[in-house]
Amino acid sequence: MQTGRLHGRSPVHQRPGVIWAAPAFVYFLVFAVVPLVLVVGLSFTHWNGLGMPRWAGAANWSRLAEDPTLGSSIRLSLILTAVAWLVQTPISLLLGVWAAGPGRGRAALSAVFFVPLLMSNAAVALLWQSLLDPNFGLAELIGPLLGAPDGNVLGDPGRALAAMALVVSWQFIPFHMLLYQAATRQIPRSLYEAAAIDGAGRARRFWSITLPQLRHTIVSSSVLIVVGSLTYFETILLITGAGPGTATRVLPLHMYITGFQAFEMGYASALAVLLVAAGTALSIGIVRMTGYSRMDSSREGM
């Protein structure tokens, strides 16, 4: 009788009530919406961090068009984001699918892969700064293999940005691998058993079953990679300090240096709002282009 009533309910009535989302809404309001409103307000002021902000009108916003560093910072952020996505997505996907399989060896290696995820940004920066030091790090050994005969990877503008993309990918691949591992384990075994009966090999099962079933996770992981890469700067600051020159001065690092080294909080706030708008636009673009909002459950009807 109870089962009959459940089957008669509409999908909307089977969803949790709004009260379940209340803690998340409160957290988002306090730690995201309120600070964002304050930053938008600061973007219309002159403030060095001391005393009271002075009204500046649209001066900080008109300065964006005259900032000679802003264009290169946006370009570097887009390059870092694109490289991070191209490197992290296939490696995380393959490692996650592999780690989802049974076996103690896989579980042990998966635990090792997660070590970078447990390290703080400062620890990651110190580790890679030591490894890439041309005097006593591994750069002296592997530098010639990467086109740097002297091992000075961080001293070359192109190699420094590539090294930062490598560090970002190394640090966050375990997190996205964990997403794919969990999603792969949710794929019904009956799909693989039916494919095996039809004679599908391992590669065919991956392309026809695993990959389509992981499309929701691929979109979610891509949004996290894009937004995370656009806001990532702590490790870059500690390893290169935005150098050599401005070769690794990505947009969030440009915002940080403007605000906390030049003490131009008003203009740094305008850069922060620009960064939020760019990240939001890219996230919405990915969701709309992939049709993520129209996707139904991959297990619907099973």
Side-chain angles (χ1 to χ4, degrees):
M1 195 67 182
Q2 185 177 4
T3 304
R5 286 198 301 269
L6 288 176
H7 287 173
R9 293 177 180 176
S10 66
V12 173
H13 293 156
Q14 294 177 11
R15 296 173 181 171
V18 178
I19 191 65
W20 290 86
F25 279 127
V26 172
Y27 184 89
F28 183 74
L29 179 67
V30 174
F31 293 101
V33 175
V34 172
L36 181 59
V37 171
L38 294 176
V39 168
V40 171
L42 276 179
S43 68
F44 294 96
T45 66
H46 290 306
W47 190 41
N48 61 3
L50 298 174
M52 293 298 293
R54 292 179 292 105
W55 178 255
N60 290 322
W61 291 96
S62 59
R63 182 180 167 185
L64 291 174
E66 304 168 357
D67 188 347
T69 310
L70 180 59
S72 64
S73 296
I74 293 175
R75 181 178 61 82
L76 292 173
S77 292
L78 292 177
I79 293 174
L80 183 66
T81 301
V83 173
W85 186 85
L86 290 172
V87 172
Q88 292 184 49
T89 298
I91 295 177
S92 303
L93 174 60
L94 294 175
L95 283 176
V97 172
W98 173 81
R104 293 183 178 178
R106 294 175 195 253
L109 286 175
S110 297
V112 174
F113 290 153
F114 290 139
V115 170
L117 191 62
L118 305 177
M119 299 173 65
S120 66
N121 288 336
V124 171
L126 289 174
L127 172 65
W128 280 96
Q129 197 174 39
S130 300
L131 291 175
L132 297 175
D133 191 299
N135 297 313
F136 57 84
L138 289 179
E140 184 180 5
L141 300 176
I142 65 175
L145 301 177
L146 301 176
D150 57 355
N152 190 12
V153 176
L154 298 180
D156 181 85
R159 297 188 195 117
L161 185 62
M164 293 306 97
L166 171 66
V167 173
V168 172
S169 301
W170 178 82
Q171 185 177 5
F172 291 106
I173 279 177
F175 171 73
H176 297 281
M177 168 187 164
L178 184 64
L179 295 180
Y180 288 116
Q181 181 186 22
T184 302
R185 286 179 174 171
Q186 296 301 314
I187 300 175
R189 302 302 307 172
S190 57
L191 296 178
Y192 294 105
E193 293 169 358
I197 293 174
D198 291 339
R202 180 172 298 180
R204 180 66 175 174
R205 292 197 297 269
F206 174 80
W207 287 106
S208 300
I209 298 175
T210 305
L211 208 54
Q213 291 290 320
L214 293 178
R215 62 188 186 279
H216 294 177
T217 309
I218 293 173
V219 176
S220 301
S221 173
S222 298
V223 171
L224 291 174
I225 291 174
V226 169
V227 175
S229 300
L230 278 178
T231 58
Y232 187 84
F233 76 95
E234 303 94 332
T235 306
I236 300 176
L237 172 67
L238 294 172
I239 294 179
T240 68
T246 57
T248 55
R249 188 163 171 156
V250 291
L251 184 56
L253 186 51
H254 180 47
M255 175 196 67
Y256 175 82
I257 292 174
T258 302
F260 294 96
Q261 293 186 6
F263 299 106
E264 298 180 88
M265 296 295 182
Y267 183 58
S269 298
L271 292 172
V273 176
L274 178 66
L275 193 59
V276 170
T280 304
L282 283 175
S283 301
I284 294 175
I286 292 174
V287 170
R288 292 185 67 85
M289 284 190 298
T290 56
Y292 183 80
S293 58
R294 300 187 301 273
M295 290 181 183
D296 297 324
S297 171
S298 59
R299 303 186 66 176
E300 186 174 357
M302 299 192 65

